[in-house]
Amino acid sequence: MARDPSRGENTTTRTGASPPPPARRTEGTIALVQALRFFAALLVVLYHAPTMNPDYTERPSRFDAFHLGGAGVDVFFVISGLVITLTVAKARHFDLADFAARRFWRIFPVYWAFLAATIAVELLSLRVGIGAPFAEAGNPVYIVTSVFLLPLPFQIMEVAWTLGLEITFYLLFALGFRCYGLRGVVAALLLWYAFAVLYVSTPLGDVPALFYLGYPVILEFAFGIAICWLHLNTRMPLGPAALVLGTAAMAGALFAPEVASLAALLHEPELRREFQFGIPAAILVYGAVATPLKVPGWLLLLGQSSYILYLLHSLFFGVARAAVNLAFGVELGASDLGVAALIVGAVVLSAVLTHTVERPFLLWSRRFVPGHSVPPTGFGAGIPAKRDT
């Protein structure tokens, strides 16, 4: 029988209980969410693209259209809530040590590799006087915070704050589920969200160290949990309609926020991020889960490489720009064509590293973690198919 994730235990059919919904096709479901991870990562890459231009504050760029592309993170957070809940629901029983080990091997080793590379490049840049290195790369406080992905605003890698919130969510999920099942997770997450709302609404907001712990965007993890519950307990109607609506809502929030975003439609200009981008992201993820579509293999690979792309792109942009400038005297960041070439290069390199390095590494790491397959890594890692009932 299917496992009831809200209770943290295996269940059996009770007399008179409604029969479970028939198993749905899940191949397309997995593939479409995997593809969505790539587009979320690409949004973040496009968001950072204009900053590659030394004069980006003065020279307009076609990539300025993605100035709200950081909303890709909101999609990641919804997917994470979905995936972690699905992963636990797939297991026959919940083992805290096993849960922690799986999260560790999927997140930290790859992240540490790019963190070490970032620190090395920044310190070398500082020594030879090339580029504009971050002095934080040699600051012990930033190094400790970055190594352990603490949810503090002292990160060396600019994208690491999201991973810090991910790790905090994993800890909360593990403890809440271990003690009270999925209800415990939801209760703890709502308490965290209540603290975040209090933080942004009171003088607590003057404490910078709590900035990320008090970021209300964490409600988006709960959106993902809700989608998982629907996936496990309902037929998830209107999947294609939700996919179209979510795409349109996200496009409106990204490219026409003054007229087509949720804030504009509700006449709430101060609508917070977890609603402005989180609700469109949730509708989009719901549609991706509920719509069985086949996805080409190359797009699946790009989805699998989204974690490396997320970590790699800023480092790659800096190194590639410096190398081309030294070798040919050309500043790639000064033109949209050069920026586009850097983006394509980052995407291709991420896919190559995923296929040739990350997947073999995960195969090797299986000896330390019980399991029989190598799931995707990073945000949205390990999306299981719905178990037949």
Side-chain angles (χ1 to χ4, degrees):
M1 291 302 297
R3 186 176 179 277
D4 181 359
S6 68
R7 301 179 63 86
E9 59 188 19
N10 290 330
T11 59
T12 56
T13 302
R14 295 178 175 85
T15 303
S18 299
R24 299 186 308 276
R25 288 188 301 160
T26 54
E27 293 293 332
T29 297
I30 298 172
L32 202 53
V33 173
Q34 190 78 298
L36 189 56
R37 292 174 60 214
F38 167 68
F39 290 111
L42 185 61
L43 270 180
V44 176
V45 174
L46 293 170
Y47 166 68
H48 289 144
T51 64
M52 285 188 281
N53 176 20
D55 302 315
Y56 77 95
T57 57
E58 300 175 2
R59 185 183 71 85
S61 166
R62 290 180 176 86
F63 294 101
D64 291 339
F66 296 94
H67 69 284
L68 295 175
V73 169
D74 302 85
V75 179
F76 279 138
F77 283 167
V78 175
I79 291 177
S80 291
L82 161 73
V83 166
I84 293 303
T85 312
L86 275 172
T87 302
V88 171
K90 184 183 179 183
R92 293 184 179 276
H93 67 279
F94 181 74
D95 182 271
L96 188 59
D98 178 75
F99 178 88
R102 290 176 183 273
R103 302 283 78 71
F104 171 82
W105 286 106
R106 292 175 185 175
I107 296 295
F108 277 100
V110 173
Y111 164 72
W112 281 338
F114 284 105
L115 175 63
T118 299
I119 292 174
V121 168
E122 296 294 347
L123 292 180
L124 179 62
S125 299
L126 188 63
R127 184 175 182 84
V128 301
I130 296 178
F134 298 105
E136 290 84 356
N139 187 316
V141 174
Y142 279 80
I143 291 176
V144 171
T145 300
S146 298
V147 166
F148 294 103
L149 283 175
L150 302 179
L152 298 172
F154 310 113
Q155 302 288 347
I156 293 173
M157 295 179 65
E158 58 184 329
V159 299
W161 69 270
T162 62
L163 298 179
L165 287 184
E166 287 272 342
I167 297 301
T168 304
F169 169 61
Y170 295 163
L171 290 172
L172 181 148
F173 188 102
L175 296 176
F177 196 90
R178 178 66 178 83
C179 296
Y180 302 105
L182 191 59
R183 293 183 181 89
V185 175
V186 173
L189 193 54
L190 291 179
L191 285 175
W192 185 12
Y193 178 67
F195 165 76
V197 172
L198 185 67
Y199 174 79
V200 299
S201 307
T202 68
L204 270 177
D206 296 330
V207 183
L210 297 177
F211 180 80
Y212 290 122
L213 277 176
Y215 202 173
V217 74
I218 50 94
L219 182 65
E220 293 164 358
F221 293 124
F223 294 163
I225 293 173
I227 294 170
C228 174
W229 187 91
L230 292 171
H231 175 63
L232 294 174
N233 295 281
T234 75
R235 297 176 183 273
M236 297 193 77
L238 303 176
L243 190 62
V244 173
L245 177 60
T247 301
M250 183 61 75
L254 287 171
F255 304 118
E258 295 85 2
V259 295
S261 67
L262 192 59
L265 296 176
L266 296 177
H267 303 288
E268 292 287 346
E270 301 301 322
L271 193 67
R272 287 197 301 266
R273 175 175 181 167
E274 68 269 26
F275 303 114
Q276 174 80 330
F277 295 109
I279 290 179
I283 297 172
L284 184 58
V285 173
Y286 174 95
V289 174
T291 305
L293 289 177
K294 290 186 177 181
V295 175
W298 61 268
L299 186 53
L300 289 178
L301 175 60
L302 292 179
Q304 293 169 2
S305 67
S306 60
Y307 184 45
I308 287 184
L309 177 61
Y310 188 73
L311 295 174
L312 166 78
H313 69 275
S314 291
L315 178 63
F316 174 80
F317 290 163
V319 172
R321 284 176 56 200
V324 171
N325 202 347
L326 285 174
F328 306 104
V330 175
E331 173 52 71
L332 289 177
S335 69
D336 288 344
L337 183 61
V339 172
L342 287 169
I343 292 173
V344 172
V347 170
V348 171
L349 180 58
S350 299
V352 170
L353 290 176
T354 297
H355 183 70
T356 61
V357 178
E358 186 185 33
R359 288 186 63 82
F361 170 78
L362 287 173
L363 283 170
W364 173 82
S365 71
R366 284 197 307 179
R367 68 189 67 186
F368 304 107
V369 179
H372 303 287
S373 63
V374 183
T377 59
F379 285 109
I383 303 174
K386 180 179 177 181
R387 297 175 64 187
D388 292 343
T389 53

